């Protein structure tokens, strides 16, 4: 039976493979948890993969902001709450928050999605009625999405949309970009200090088999800017900050 609740909650327990060598959950894992609870929420409304196929539509991530305010370690039980807002123009906002066993917020994710026509990739201003979205709140909490650019960007390797990095849309899954940015950041910092924030702006799809060049730069306050390009096309930009 479908539920049209505007909020979905679930419990998770962090496992070894979702965490790093310091036993902390990785930013990429937090985004994957966010993606899954978002999918579960849509499924509970009856807005399933089959419904998207029937209507010839797909959701693409435009931007995502992750803020980490507490430690989340292997074995910790977390409580997740996700809630979307009514779309503004073509942008669908969804806010997901993570809480520890004491009810303290440990992380939050502000995700901005766009609904597109699968064949033309044209952005749809209004979802087809056949999708059956319920009434949602007008607003949810939001993050600042401003991307800062470094004056100098240095080569930071390459990345490919390999088979295991791609999703059902045959392009690199949006959560993989968080892993790529973390791997490009200075290793000594990643070993010693947890991230406090990560902002990703997606400009173009990286389709199965395609490759992009990664670059990394330092911002004036010591934060980092990262980017990926395929030839002259910008694929993504990112900012990352470490906890003091």
């Amino acid at each position: 039976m479908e539920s049209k609740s505007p909020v979905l909650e679930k419990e998770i327990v962090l496992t070894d493979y979702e965490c790093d060598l310091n036993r902390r959950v990785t930013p990429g894992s937090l985004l994957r948890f966010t993606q899954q609870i978002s999918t579960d929420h849509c499924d509970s409304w009856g807005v399933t993969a089959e419904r998207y196929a029937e209507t010839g539509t797909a959701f693409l991530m435009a931007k995502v902001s992750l803020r980490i305010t507490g430690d989340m370690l292997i074995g910790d039980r977390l409580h997740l709450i996700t809630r979307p807002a009514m779309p503004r123009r073509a942008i669908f906002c969804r806010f997901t928050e993570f809480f520890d066993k004491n009810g303290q917020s440990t992380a939050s994710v502000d995700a901005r999605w766009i609904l597109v026509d699968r064949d033309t990739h044209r952005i749809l201003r209004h979802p087809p009625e056949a999708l059956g979205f319920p009434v949602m709140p007008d607003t949810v909490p939001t993050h600042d999405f401003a991307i800062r650019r470094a004056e100098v960007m240095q080569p930071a390797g390459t990345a490919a949309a390999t088979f295991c990095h791609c999703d059902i849309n045959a392009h690199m899954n949006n959560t993989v970009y968080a892993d790529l940015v973390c791997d490009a950041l200075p290793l000594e910092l990643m070993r010693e200090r947890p991230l406090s924030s990560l902002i990703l702006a997606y400009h173009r799809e990286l389709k199965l088999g395609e490759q992009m060049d990664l670059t990394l730069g330092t911002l004036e306050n010591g934060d980092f800017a990262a980017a990926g390009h395929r030839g002259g096309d910008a694929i993504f930009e990112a900012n990352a900050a470490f906890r003091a």
Side-chain angles (χ1 to χ4, degrees), residues 91-108:
I91 302 295
F92 290 73
C93 302
R94 179 179 282 274
F95 190 78
T96 303
E97 200 160 8
F98 296 74
F99 298 88
D100 64 18
K101 63 181 181 180
N102 298 316
Q104 296 296 311
S105 177
T106 53
S108 60

Side-chain angles (χ1 to χ4, degrees), residues 3-8 41 44-45 47 82-87 92-94 127 129 131-140:
S3 169
K4 297 294 186 178
S5 172
V7 175
L8 182 66
H41 200 185
S44 74
W45 300 334
V47 183
T82 190
R83 40 187 167 151
M86 291 295 289
F92 290 73
C93 302
R94 179 179 282 274
E129 288 187 12
L131 276 178
F133 283 118
V135 175
M136 296 176 251
D138 289 333
T139 61
V140 291

